[in-house]
Amino acid sequence: MILITGGAGFIGANFVLDWLAATGEPVVNLDALTYAGNLESLASLKDDPRHVFVHGDICDRTLLDRLFAQHKPRAVVHFAAESHVDRSIHGPGAFIKTNIEGTFTLLEATRAHWSALDADAKAAFRFHHVSTDEVYGSLSKTDPPFTEDHTYEPNSPYSASKAASDHLVRAWHHTYGLPVVTTNCSNNYGPYHFPEKLIPLMIVNALAGKPLPVYGDGQQVRDWLYVKDHASAIRAVLAGGRVGEVYNIGGWNEKPNLEIVHTVCALLDEMRPDPAGSYSRLITYVTDRPGHDRRYAIDARKVERELGWKPAETFDTGIRKTLRWYLDNGDWVARVQSGAYREWVATNYSERAADRKSA
């Protein structure tokens, strides 16, 4: 049994589905179900006894202690986080609460559980912290990609809060001996992505005939990682990563945002043509956001060298799979946007009242 935090979010849900398919090992999935947490992404696991969902907050120490005592997980995979830069600019408090205070609370609950284990179980236990390349700051066009030794230079409330959580995880290892690993990933894309981030926003807006907003000149460069590749990388690091180490997870796909938008438009032109003309007609340039990092790039050679992991998808194959998923799952997108999926969550809770009480 492993404990996953934030397992109803975009990356977390994809990881839960991947984990159960690849390993079959049961999971306890703790998620607060904020706006971006969606149990409908895990609807295929509704009657699967290997997936125990618990609605709760990582800041709730009493709940965490109960979960550790009841389920005795052999590992924690920590996804739970506020993760949208624009939202962090408008409301940084939630990011401080979840990303810093929440990680601290989870670390302390984990330490209490781990300290009580026997020697063999303590040695085998892992706390896997999932973080972001944004903690490293911004690169120029000619700078080499981020390595695991790159200096932290966060430039937004979001990235600063994630940098703080990374430092807490490191400190709990060096001070208390907690066996941790940290992964810093590049921009994820793929199925079940809440439509506020670039790629899903472009897809849903284009299909609705709405403007496709591009910040500034659109030349901000990101490394793009297909979310299912990210899930497989986490499995590899959790299984074989060295305790106390950091591993950068990237897709080797550096592309400017404007190119991403044009790629989405071109694929939609091919896969679902609009009689009104190419979707690129909807591209609209808007004022850039404050502190917008110019370029991120991940050097993922360490995880390949030590663990043999590298992404299975190129950007061309991954983005095509992503577009196909959104075109085939319009009902999911509509319910996420309308809030109807929250009604589904309420129904699911009533069916699982016993699980909530026992947790």
Side-chain angles (χ1 to χ4, degrees):
M1 173 75 76
I2 67 170
L3 171 63
I4 297 172
T5 71
F10 164 49
I11 303 176
N14 275 281
F15 177 78
V16 169
L17 293 169
D18 172 85
W19 179 265
L20 291 176
T23 73
E25 184 177 5
V27 303
V28 176
N29 181 358
L30 175 64
D31 197 295
L33 294 179
T34 59
Y35 73 95
N38 186 356
L39 273 181
E40 192 169 349
S41 302
L42 299 168
S44 63
L45 303 177
K46 182 172 181 288
D47 298 315
D48 192 329
R50 301 173 302 168
H51 179 240
V52 178
F53 179 76
V54 179
H55 182 205
D57 194 323
I58 58 171
C59 293
D60 185 344
R61 176 63 187 270
T62 301
L63 172 60
L64 291 173
D65 287 342
R66 287 207 309 269
L67 292 178
F68 277 111
Q70 179 182 352
H71 298 287
K72 298 177 174 56
R74 69 169 185 87
V76 174
V77 184
H78 178 34
F79 293 98
E82 296 284 347
S83 65
H84 193 242
V85 174
D86 287 340
R87 288 179 182 266
S88 80
I89 293 170
H90 294 291
F95 290 73
I96 303 304
K97 181 72 174 177
T98 298
N99 299 355
I100 301 177
E101 294 183 32
T103 299
F104 161 73
T105 305
L106 180 64
L107 282 166
E108 281 291 85
T110 303
R111 181 165 71 96
H113 165 72
W114 170 77
S115 296
L117 298 175
D118 64 37
D120 289 342
K122 286 179 74 172
F125 188 87
R126 293 292 182 272
F127 182 101
H128 187 135
H129 178 57
V130 181
S131 191
T132 172
D133 59 359
E134 296 191 40
V135 299
Y136 298 128
S138 186
L139 296 170
S140 72
K141 287 184 178 180
T142 58
D143 286 334
F146 299 128
T147 68
E148 290 80 0
D149 297 322
H150 197 280
T151 302
Y152 274 36
E153 296 177 340
N155 292 319
S156 71
Y158 161 60
S159 57
S161 68
K162 286 297 290 184
S165 70
D166 291 7
H167 292 323
L168 288 173
V169 171
R170 174 185 169 87
W172 260 242
H173 170 62
H174 284 277
T175 301
Y176 302 113
L178 188 68
V180 307
V181 287
T182 295
T183 50
N184 293 83
C185 69
S186 57
N187 278 35
N188 281 222
Y189 68 100
Y192 302 112
H193 205 175
F194 193 81
E196 68 176 0
K197 301 294 180 74
L198 178 66
I199 289 177
L201 179 64
M202 295 302 112
I203 296 170
V204 299
N205 275 18
L207 292 173
K210 295 179 179 180
L212 308 181
V214 174
Y215 285 140
D217 62 3
Q219 294 305 310
Q220 304 87 359
V221 174
R222 301 293 183 261
D223 173 40
W224 293 91
L225 174 65
Y226 190 58
V227 68
K228 295 185 179 182
D229 280 334
H230 189 192
S232 71
I234 292 172
R235 280 194 285 109
V237 173
L238 188 61
R242 289 183 288 133
V243 170
E245 289 294 311
V246 175
Y247 295 90
N248 283 347
I249 310 299
W252 299 106
N253 291 306
E254 278 192 67
K255 293 183 182 296
N257 288 346
L258 186 58
E259 181 181 336
I260 298 295
V261 177
H262 277 290
T263 298
V264 169
C265 290
L267 285 172
L268 286 175
D269 288 341
E270 171 195 330
M271 300 165 80
R272 186 167 293 179
D274 185 346
S278 173
Y279 290 100
S280 62
R281 74 185 190 280
L282 300 171
I283 294 174
T284 303
Y285 294 91
V286 299
T287 302
D288 208 352
R289 72 183 177 209
H292 200 172
D293 290 333
R294 195 63 175 171
R295 172 178 170 244
Y296 305 142
I298 281 283
D299 183 333
R301 287 179 295 178
K302 178 179 177 179
V303 69
E304 181 176 358
R305 180 176 65 250
E306 293 192 10
L307 302 175
W309 179 88
K310 58 182 178 180
E313 302 291 344
T314 65
F315 186 76
D316 289 343
T317 61
I319 193 64
R320 184 172 287 275
K321 289 180 178 180
T322 300
L323 265 292
R324 176 47 57 197
W325 187 90
Y326 276 89
L327 291 175
D328 290 344
N329 291 273
D331 288 347
W332 180 92
V333 176
R335 285 191 289 271
V336 168
Q337 292 179 298
S338 70
Y341 80 89
R342 297 190 185 279
E343 299 173 5
W344 184 90
V345 167
T347 300
N348 188 66
Y349 283 163
S350 66
E351 294 175 355
R352 298 196 176 194
D355 284 347
R356 293 207 310 278
K357 290 177 182 176
S358 65

mmCIF file with all atom_site columns, all heavy atoms in Angstrom, residues 202-224:
data_model
loop_
_atom_site.group_PDB
_atom_site.id
_atom_site.type_symbol
_atom_site.label_atom_id
_atom_site.label_alt_id
_atom_site.label_comp_id
_atom_site.label_asym_id
_atom_site.label_entity_id
_atom_site.label_seq_id
_atom_site.pdbx_PDB_ins_code
_atom_site.Cartn_x
_atom_site.Cartn_y
_atom_site.Cartn_z
_atom_site.occupancy
_atom_site.B_iso_or_equiv
_atom_site.pdbx_formal_charge
_atom_site.auth_seq_id
_atom_site.auth_comp_id
_atom_site.auth_asym_id
_atom_site.auth_atom_id
_atom_site.pdbx_PDB_model_num
ATOM 1   N N   . MET A 1 202 ? -6.190  26.102 -24.876 1.00 0.00 ? 202 MET A N   1
ATOM 2   C CA  . MET A 1 202 ? -6.235  26.345 -26.316 1.00 0.00 ? 202 MET A CA  1
ATOM 3   C C   . MET A 1 202 ? -7.221  25.394 -26.996 1.00 0.00 ? 202 MET A C   1
ATOM 4   O O   . MET A 1 202 ? -7.960  25.795 -27.903 1.00 0.00 ? 202 MET A O   1
ATOM 5   C CB  . MET A 1 202 ? -4.842  26.171 -26.926 1.00 0.00 ? 202 MET A CB  1
ATOM 6   C CG  . MET A 1 202 ? -3.810  27.186 -26.467 1.00 0.00 ? 202 MET A CG  1
ATOM 7   S SD  . MET A 1 202 ? -4.261  28.902 -26.775 1.00 0.00 ? 202 MET A SD  1
ATOM 8   C CE  . MET A 1 202 ? -4.485  29.491 -25.097 1.00 0.00 ? 202 MET A CE  1
ATOM 9   N N   . ILE A 1 203 ? -7.243  24.155 -26.557 1.00 0.00 ? 203 ILE A N   1
ATOM 10  C CA  . ILE A 1 203 ? -8.144  23.167 -27.173 1.00 0.00 ? 203 ILE A CA  1
ATOM 11  C C   . ILE A 1 203 ? -9.597  23.555 -26.948 1.00 0.00 ? 203 ILE A C   1
ATOM 12  O O   . ILE A 1 203 ? -10.391 23.631 -27.891 1.00 0.00 ? 203 ILE A O   1
ATOM 13  C CB  . ILE A 1 203 ? -7.861  21.759 -26.616 1.00 0.00 ? 203 ILE A CB  1
ATOM 14  C CG1 . ILE A 1 203 ? -6.449  21.294 -27.000 1.00 0.00 ? 203 ILE A CG1 1
ATOM 15  C CG2 . ILE A 1 203 ? -8.899  20.757 -27.150 1.00 0.00 ? 203 ILE A CG2 1
ATOM 16  C CD1 . ILE A 1 203 ? -6.011  20.021 -26.285 1.00 0.00 ? 203 ILE A CD1 1
ATOM 17  N N   . VAL A 1 204 ? -9.957  23.779 -25.683 1.00 0.00 ? 204 VAL A N   1
ATOM 18  C CA  . VAL A 1 204 ? -11.378 24.034 -25.388 1.00 0.00 ? 204 VAL A CA  1
ATOM 19  C C   . VAL A 1 204 ? -11.825 25.382 -25.947 1.00 0.00 ? 204 VAL A C   1
ATOM 20  O O   . VAL A 1 204 ? -12.965 25.518 -26.415 1.00 0.00 ? 204 VAL A O   1
ATOM 21  C CB  . VAL A 1 204 ? -11.664 23.915 -23.877 1.00 0.00 ? 204 VAL A CB  1
ATOM 22  C CG1 . VAL A 1 204 ? -11.340 22.517 -23.377 1.00 0.00 ? 204 VAL A CG1 1
ATOM 23  C CG2 . VAL A 1 204 ? -10.920 24.955 -23.070 1.00 0.00 ? 204 VAL A CG2 1
ATOM 24  N N   . ASN A 1 205 ? -10.961 26.390 -25.909 1.00 0.00 ? 205 ASN A N   1
ATOM 25  C CA  . ASN A 1 205 ? -11.344 27.682 -26.479 1.00 0.00 ? 205 ASN A CA  1
ATOM 26  C C   . ASN A 1 205 ? -11.507 27.598 -27.987 1.00 0.00 ? 205 ASN A C   1
ATOM 27  O O   . ASN A 1 205 ? -12.448 28.160 -28.562 1.00 0.00 ? 205 ASN A O   1
ATOM 28  C CB  . ASN A 1 205 ? -10.307 28.746 -26.135 1.00 0.00 ? 205 ASN A CB  1
ATOM 29  C CG  . ASN A 1 205 ? -10.547 29.372 -24.777 1.00 0.00 ? 205 ASN A CG  1
ATOM 30  O OD1 . ASN A 1 205 ? -11.266 28.814 -23.953 1.00 0.00 ? 205 ASN A OD1 1
ATOM 31  N ND2 . ASN A 1 205 ? -9.952  30.520 -24.525 1.00 0.00 ? 205 ASN A ND2 1
ATOM 32  N N   . ALA A 1 206 ? -10.591 26.898 -28.646 1.00 0.00 ? 206 ALA A N   1
ATOM 33  C CA  . ALA A 1 206 ? -10.680 26.778 -30.102 1.00 0.00 ? 206 ALA A CA  1
ATOM 34  C C   . ALA A 1 206 ? -11.977 26.081 -30.505 1.00 0.00 ? 206 ALA A C   1
ATOM 35  O O   . ALA A 1 206 ? -12.695 26.542 -31.407 1.00 0.00 ? 206 ALA A O   1
ATOM 36  C CB  . ALA A 1 206 ? -9.477  26.018 -30.641 1.00 0.00 ? 206 ALA A CB  1
ATOM 37  N N   . LEU A 1 207 ? -12.302 24.986 -29.835 1.00 0.00 ? 207 LEU A N   1
ATOM 38  C CA  . LEU A 1 207 ? -13.513 24.248 -30.181 1.00 0.00 ? 207 LEU A CA  1
ATOM 39  C C   . LEU A 1 207 ? -14.769 25.071 -29.921 1.00 0.00 ? 207 LEU A C   1
ATOM 40  O O   . LEU A 1 207 ? -15.805 24.869 -30.569 1.00 0.00 ? 207 LEU A O   1
ATOM 41  C CB  . LEU A 1 207 ? -13.571 22.945 -29.390 1.00 0.00 ? 207 LEU A CB  1
ATOM 42  C CG  . LEU A 1 207 ? -12.500 21.904 -29.762 1.00 0.00 ? 207 LEU A CG  1
ATOM 43  C CD1 . LEU A 1 207 ? -12.548 20.723 -28.801 1.00 0.00 ? 207 LEU A CD1 1
ATOM 44  C CD2 . LEU A 1 207 ? -12.672 21.433 -31.204 1.00 0.00 ? 207 LEU A CD2 1
ATOM 45  N N   . ALA A 1 208 ? -14.677 26.023 -28.973 1.00 0.00 ? 208 ALA A N   1
ATOM 46  C CA  . ALA A 1 208 ? -15.811 26.890 -28.673 1.00 0.00 ? 208 ALA A CA  1
ATOM 47  C C   . ALA A 1 208 ? -15.813 28.170 -29.498 1.00 0.00 ? 208 ALA A C   1
ATOM 48  O O   . ALA A 1 208 ? -16.713 28.996 -29.352 1.00 0.00 ? 208 ALA A O   1
ATOM 49  C CB  . ALA A 1 208 ? -15.810 27.235 -27.184 1.00 0.00 ? 208 ALA A CB  1
ATOM 50  N N   . GLY A 1 209 ? -14.802 28.339 -30.369 1.00 0.00 ? 209 GLY A N   1
ATOM 51  C CA  . GLY A 1 209 ? -14.719 29.550 -31.179 1.00 0.00 ? 209 GLY A CA  1
ATOM 52  C C   . GLY A 1 209 ? -14.321 30.778 -30.393 1.00 0.00 ? 209 GLY A C   1
ATOM 53  O O   . GLY A 1 209 ? -14.577 31.915 -30.822 1.00 0.00 ? 209 GLY A O   1
ATOM 54  N N   . LYS A 1 210 ? -13.667 30.584 -29.245 1.00 0.00 ? 210 LYS A N   1
ATOM 55  C CA  . LYS A 1 210 ? -13.255 31.701 -28.399 1.00 0.00 ? 210 LYS A CA  1
ATOM 56  C C   . LYS A 1 210 ? -11.809 32.101 -28.707 1.00 0.00 ? 210 LYS A C   1
ATOM 57  O O   . LYS A 1 210 ? -11.047 31.321 -29.285 1.00 0.00 ? 210 LYS A O   1
ATOM 58  C CB  . LYS A 1 210 ? -13.376 31.307 -26.927 1.00 0.00 ? 210 LYS A CB  1
ATOM 59  C CG  . LYS A 1 210 ? -14.799 31.031 -26.474 1.00 0.00 ? 210 LYS A CG  1
ATOM 60  C CD  . LYS A 1 210 ? -14.810 30.623 -25.006 1.00 0.00 ? 210 LYS A CD  1
ATOM 61  C CE  . LYS A 1 210 ? -16.224 30.356 -24.518 1.00 0.00 ? 210 LYS A CE  1
ATOM 62  N NZ  . LYS A 1 210 ? -16.246 29.949 -23.078 1.00 0.00 ? 210 LYS A NZ  1
ATOM 63  N N   . PRO A 1 211 ? -11.400 33.299 -28.306 1.00 0.00 ? 211 PRO A N   1
ATOM 64  C CA  . PRO A 1 211 ? -10.017 33.729 -28.533 1.00 0.00 ? 211 PRO A CA  1
ATOM 65  C C   . PRO A 1 211 ? -9.019  32.785 -27.870 1.00 0.00 ? 211 PRO A C   1
ATOM 66  O O   . PRO A 1 211 ? -9.286  32.209 -26.804 1.00 0.00 ? 211 PRO A O   1
ATOM 67  C CB  . PRO A 1 211 ? -9.965  35.121 -27.890 1.00 0.00 ? 211 PRO A CB  1
ATOM 68  C CG  . PRO A 1 211 ? -11.377 35.600 -27.902 1.00 0.00 ? 211 PRO A CG  1
ATOM 69  C CD  . PRO A 1 211 ? -12.223 34.373 -27.705 1.00 0.00 ? 211 PRO A CD  1
ATOM 70  N N   . LEU A 1 212 ? -7.861  32.654 -28.500 1.00 0.00 ? 212 LEU A N   1
ATOM 71  C CA  . LEU A 1 212 ? -6.761  31.852 -27.966 1.00 0.00 ? 212 LEU A CA  1
ATOM 72  C C   . LEU A 1 212 ? -5.715  32.823 -27.421 1.00 0.00 ? 212 LEU A C   1
ATOM 73  O O   . LEU A 1 212 ? -4.870  33.327 -28.172 1.00 0.00 ? 212 LEU A O   1
ATOM 74  C CB  . LEU A 1 212 ? -6.169  30.959 -29.059 1.00 0.00 ? 212 LEU A CB  1
ATOM 75  C CG  . LEU A 1 212 ? -7.160  30.093 -29.834 1.00 0.00 ? 212 LEU A CG  1
ATOM 76  C CD1 . LEU A 1 212 ? -6.437  29.246 -30.870 1.00 0.00 ? 212 LEU A CD1 1
ATOM 77  C CD2 . LEU A 1 212 ? -7.974  29.211 -28.888 1.00 0.00 ? 212 LEU A CD2 1
ATOM 78  N N   . PRO A 1 213 ? -5.742  33.121 -26.122 1.00 0.00 ? 213 PRO A N   1
ATOM 79  C CA  . PRO A 1 213 ? -4.871  34.166 -25.576 1.00 0.00 ? 213 PRO A CA  1
ATOM 80  C C   . PRO A 1 213 ? -3.417  33.715 -25.458 1.00 0.00 ? 213 PRO A C   1
ATOM 81  O O   . PRO A 1 213 ? -3.113  32.675 -24.871 1.00 0.00 ? 213 PRO A O   1
ATOM 82  C CB  . PRO A 1 213 ? -5.478  34.428 -24.196 1.00 0.00 ? 213 PRO A CB  1
ATOM 83  C CG  . PRO A 1 213 ? -6.151  33.132 -23.831 1.00 0.00 ? 213 PRO A CG  1
ATOM 84  C CD  . PRO A 1 213 ? -6.637  32.535 -25.113 1.00 0.00 ? 213 PRO A CD  1
ATOM 85  N N   . VAL A 1 214 ? -2.535  34.506 -26.027 1.00 0.00 ? 214 VAL A N   1
ATOM 86  C CA  . VAL A 1 214 ? -1.098  34.239 -25.985 1.00 0.00 ? 214 VAL A CA  1
ATOM 87  C C   . VAL A 1 214 ? -0.433  35.388 -25.249 1.00 0.00 ? 214 VAL A C   1
ATOM 88  O O   . VAL A 1 214 ? -0.574  36.558 -25.636 1.00 0.00 ? 214 VAL A O   1
ATOM 89  C CB  . VAL A 1 214 ? -0.515  34.100 -27.406 1.00 0.00 ? 214 VAL A CB  1
ATOM 90  C CG1 . VAL A 1 214 ? 1.003   33.967 -27.350 1.00 0.00 ? 214 VAL A CG1 1
ATOM 91  C CG2 . VAL A 1 214 ? -1.142  32.914 -28.122 1.00 0.00 ? 214 VAL A CG2 1
ATOM 92  N N   . TYR A 1 215 ? 0.310   35.079 -24.171 1.00 0.00 ? 215 TYR A N   1
ATOM 93  C CA  . TYR A 1 215 ? 0.963   36.115 -23.384 1.00 0.00 ? 215 TYR A CA  1
ATOM 94  C C   . TYR A 1 215 ? 2.116   36.750 -24.162 1.00 0.00 ? 215 TYR A C   1
ATOM 95  O O   . TYR A 1 215 ? 2.958   36.053 -24.753 1.00 0.00 ? 215 TYR A O   1
ATOM 96  C CB  . TYR A 1 215 ? 1.533   35.527 -22.097 1.00 0.00 ? 215 TYR A CB  1
ATOM 97  C CG  . TYR A 1 215 ? 0.510   35.215 -21.024 1.00 0.00 ? 215 TYR A CG  1
ATOM 98  C CD1 . TYR A 1 215 ? 0.620   34.057 -20.270 1.00 0.00 ? 215 TYR A CD1 1
ATOM 99  C CD2 . TYR A 1 215 ? -0.538  36.076 -20.754 1.00 0.00 ? 215 TYR A CD2 1
ATOM 100 C CE1 . TYR A 1 215 ? -0.290  33.759 -19.261 1.00 0.00 ? 215 TYR A CE1 1
ATOM 101 C CE2 . TYR A 1 215 ? -1.452  35.793 -19.759 1.00 0.00 ? 215 TYR A CE2 1
ATOM 102 C CZ  . TYR A 1 215 ? -1.334  34.640 -19.024 1.00 0.00 ? 215 TYR A CZ  1
ATOM 103 O OH  . TYR A 1 215 ? -2.240  34.355 -18.038 1.00 0.00 ? 215 TYR A OH  1
ATOM 104 N N   . GLY A 1 216 ? 2.175   38.090 -24.119 1.00 0.00 ? 216 GLY A N   1
ATOM 105 C CA  . GLY A 1 216 ? 3.298   38.813 -24.701 1.00 0.00 ? 216 GLY A CA  1
ATOM 106 C C   . GLY A 1 216 ? 3.528   38.447 -26.148 1.00 0.00 ? 216 GLY A C   1
ATOM 107 O O   . GLY A 1 216 ? 2.611   38.476 -26.965 1.00 0.00 ? 216 GLY A O   1
ATOM 108 N N   . ASP A 1 217 ? 4.773   38.086 -26.487 1.00 0.00 ? 217 ASP A N   1
ATOM 109 C CA  . ASP A 1 217 ? 5.093   37.706 -27.863 1.00 0.00 ? 217 ASP A CA  1
ATOM 110 C C   . ASP A 1 217 ? 4.988   36.204 -28.097 1.00 0.00 ? 217 ASP A C   1
ATOM 111 O O   . ASP A 1 217 ? 5.247   35.722 -29.204 1.00 0.00 ? 217 ASP A O   1
ATOM 112 C CB  . ASP A 1 217 ? 6.493   38.207 -28.245 1.00 0.00 ? 217 ASP A CB  1
ATOM 113 C CG  . ASP A 1 217 ? 7.600   37.602 -27.377 1.00 0.00 ? 217 ASP A CG  1
ATOM 114 O OD1 . ASP A 1 217 ? 7.303   36.746 -26.499 1.00 0.00 ? 217 ASP A OD1 1
ATOM 115 O OD2 . ASP A 1 217 ? 8.771   37.998 -27.557 1.00 0.00 ? 217 ASP A OD2 1
ATOM 116 N N   . GLY A 1 218 ? 4.651   35.451 -27.061 1.00 0.00 ? 218 GLY A N   1
ATOM 117 C CA  . GLY A 1 218 ? 4.484   34.006 -27.214 1.00 0.00 ? 218 GLY A CA  1
ATOM 118 C C   . GLY A 1 218 ? 5.781   33.234 -27.341 1.00 0.00 ? 218 GLY A C   1
ATOM 119 O O   . GLY A 1 218 ? 5.755   32.032 -27.645 1.00 0.00 ? 218 GLY A O   1
ATOM 120 N N   . GLN A 1 219 ? 6.902   33.864 -27.088 1.00 0.00 ? 219 GLN A N   1
ATOM 121 C CA  . GLN A 1 219 ? 8.191   33.197 -27.271 1.00 0.00 ? 219 GLN A CA  1
ATOM 122 C C   . GLN A 1 219 ? 8.773   32.632 -25.972 1.00 0.00 ? 219 GLN A C   1
ATOM 123 O O   . GLN A 1 219 ? 9.959   32.307 -25.904 1.00 0.00 ? 219 GLN A O   1
ATOM 124 C CB  . GLN A 1 219 ? 9.192   34.176 -27.908 1.00 0.00 ? 219 GLN A CB  1
ATOM 125 C CG  . GLN A 1 219 ? 8.808   34.583 -29.329 1.00 0.00 ? 219 GLN A CG  1
ATOM 126 C CD  . GLN A 1 219 ? 8.612   33.389 -30.249 1.00 0.00 ? 219 GLN A CD  1
ATOM 127 O OE1 . GLN A 1 219 ? 9.475   32.504 -30.323 1.00 0.00 ? 219 GLN A OE1 1
ATOM 128 N NE2 . GLN A 1 219 ? 7.478   33.338 -30.936 1.00 0.00 ? 219 GLN A NE2 1
ATOM 129 N N   . GLN A 1 220 ? 7.940   32.508 -24.951 1.00 0.00 ? 220 GLN A N   1
ATOM 130 C CA  . GLN A 1 220 ? 8.383   31.844 -23.728 1.00 0.00 ? 220 GLN A CA  1
ATOM 131 C C   . GLN A 1 220 ? 8.559   30.348 -24.027 1.00 0.00 ? 220 GLN A C   1
ATOM 132 O O   . GLN A 1 220 ? 7.649   29.687 -24.529 1.00 0.00 ? 220 GLN A O   1
ATOM 133 C CB  . GLN A 1 220 ? 7.351   32.031 -22.609 1.00 0.00 ? 220 GLN A CB  1
ATOM 134 C CG  . GLN A 1 220 ? 7.021   33.489 -22.299 1.00 0.00 ? 220 GLN A CG  1
ATOM 135 C CD  . GLN A 1 220 ? 5.916   34.044 -23.165 1.00 0.00 ? 220 GLN A CD  1
ATOM 136 O OE1 . GLN A 1 220 ? 5.379   33.365 -24.025 1.00 0.00 ? 220 GLN A OE1 1
ATOM 137 N NE2 . GLN A 1 220 ? 5.573   35.299 -22.949 1.00 0.00 ? 220 GLN A NE2 1
ATOM 138 N N   . VAL A 1 221 ? 9.732   29.835 -23.706 1.00 0.00 ? 221 VAL A N   1
ATOM 139 C CA  . VAL A 1 221 ? 10.076  28.450 -24.064 1.00 0.00 ? 221 VAL A CA  1
ATOM 140 C C   . VAL A 1 221 ? 9.900   27.535 -22.852 1.00 0.00 ? 221 VAL A C   1
ATOM 141 O O   . VAL A 1 221 ? 10.335  27.866 -21.742 1.00 0.00 ? 221 VAL A O   1
ATOM 142 C CB  . VAL A 1 221 ? 11.526  28.375 -24.579 1.00 0.00 ? 221 VAL A CB  1
ATOM 143 C CG1 . VAL A 1 221 ? 11.947  26.925 -24.807 1.00 0.00 ? 221 VAL A CG1 1
ATOM 144 C CG2 . VAL A 1 221 ? 11.663  29.177 -25.864 1.00 0.00 ? 221 VAL A CG2 1
ATOM 145 N N   . ARG A 1 222 ? 9.272   26.390 -23.092 1.00 0.00 ? 222 ARG A N   1
ATOM 146 C CA  . ARG A 1 222 ? 9.095   25.376 -22.051 1.00 0.00 ? 222 ARG A CA  1
ATOM 147 C C   . ARG A 1 222 ? 9.504   24.015 -22.599 1.00 0.00 ? 222 ARG A C   1
ATOM 148 O O   . ARG A 1 222 ? 9.433   23.761 -23.806 1.00 0.00 ? 222 ARG A O   1
ATOM 149 C CB  . ARG A 1 222 ? 7.625   25.313 -21.578 1.00 0.00 ? 222 ARG A CB  1
ATOM 150 C CG  . ARG A 1 222 ? 7.086   26.644 -21.018 1.00 0.00 ? 222 ARG A CG  1
ATOM 151 C CD  . ARG A 1 222 ? 7.781   27.000 -19.723 1.00 0.00 ? 222 ARG A CD  1
ATOM 152 N NE  . ARG A 1 222 ? 7.253   28.215 -19.109 1.00 0.00 ? 222 ARG A NE  1
ATOM 153 C CZ  . ARG A 1 222 ? 7.820   29.414 -19.224 1.00 0.00 ? 222 ARG A CZ  1
ATOM 154 N NH1 . ARG A 1 222 ? 8.936   29.564 -19.953 1.00 0.00 ? 222 ARG A NH1 1
ATOM 155 N NH2 . ARG A 1 222 ? 7.302   30.459 -18.606 1.00 0.00 ? 222 ARG A NH2 1
ATOM 156 N N   . ASP A 1 223 ? 9.907   23.128 -21.698 1.00 0.00 ? 223 ASP A N   1
ATOM 157 C CA  . ASP A 1 223 ? 10.149  21.730 -22.050 1.00 0.00 ? 223 ASP A CA  1
ATOM 158 C C   . ASP A 1 223 ? 8.870   20.969 -21.738 1.00 0.00 ? 223 ASP A C   1
ATOM 159 O O   . ASP A 1 223 ? 8.362   21.038 -20.611 1.00 0.00 ? 223 ASP A O   1
ATOM 160 C CB  . ASP A 1 223 ? 11.326  21.181 -21.238 1.00 0.00 ? 223 ASP A CB  1
ATOM 161 C CG  . ASP A 1 223 ? 11.511  19.684 -21.432 1.00 0.00 ? 223 ASP A CG  1
ATOM 162 O OD1 . ASP A 1 223 ? 11.359  19.231 -22.577 1.00 0.00 ? 223 ASP A OD1 1
ATOM 163 O OD2 . ASP A 1 223 ? 11.802  18.986 -20.445 1.00 0.00 ? 223 ASP A OD2 1
ATOM 164 N N   . TRP A 1 224 ? 8.338   20.219 -22.705 1.00 0.00 ? 224 TRP A N   1
ATOM 165 C CA  . TRP A 1 224 ? 7.031   19.585 -22.573 1.00 0.00 ? 224 TRP A CA  1
ATOM 166 C C   . TRP A 1 224 ? 7.165   18.081 -22.350 1.00 0.00 ? 224 TRP A C   1
ATOM 167 O O   . TRP A 1 224 ? 7.867   17.389 -23.090 1.00 0.00 ? 224 TRP A O   1
ATOM 168 C CB  . TRP A 1 224 ? 6.178   19.881 -23.804 1.00 0.00 ? 224 TRP A CB  1
ATOM 169 C CG  . TRP A 1 224 ? 5.832   21.337 -23.870 1.00 0.00 ? 224 TRP A CG  1
ATOM 170 C CD1 . TRP A 1 224 ? 6.538   22.328 -24.512 1.00 0.00 ? 224 TRP A CD1 1
ATOM 171 C CD2 . TRP A 1 224 ? 4.741   21.985 -23.225 1.00 0.00 ? 224 TRP A CD2 1
ATOM 172 N NE1 . TRP A 1 224 ? 5.943   23.542 -24.305 1.00 0.00 ? 224 TRP A NE1 1
ATOM 173 C CE2 . TRP A 1 224 ? 4.828   23.370 -23.518 1.00 0.00 ? 224 TRP A CE2 1
ATOM 174 C CE3 . TRP A 1 224 ? 3.681   21.531 -22.427 1.00 0.00 ? 224 TRP A CE3 1
ATOM 175 C CZ2 . TRP A 1 224 ? 3.909   24.293 -23.050 1.00 0.00 ? 224 TRP A CZ2 1
ATOM 176 C CZ3 . TRP A 1 224 ? 2.765   22.453 -21.963 1.00 0.00 ? 224 TRP A CZ3 1
ATOM 177 C CH2 . TRP A 1 224 ? 2.880   23.818 -22.267 1.00 0.00 ? 224 TRP A CH2 1
#
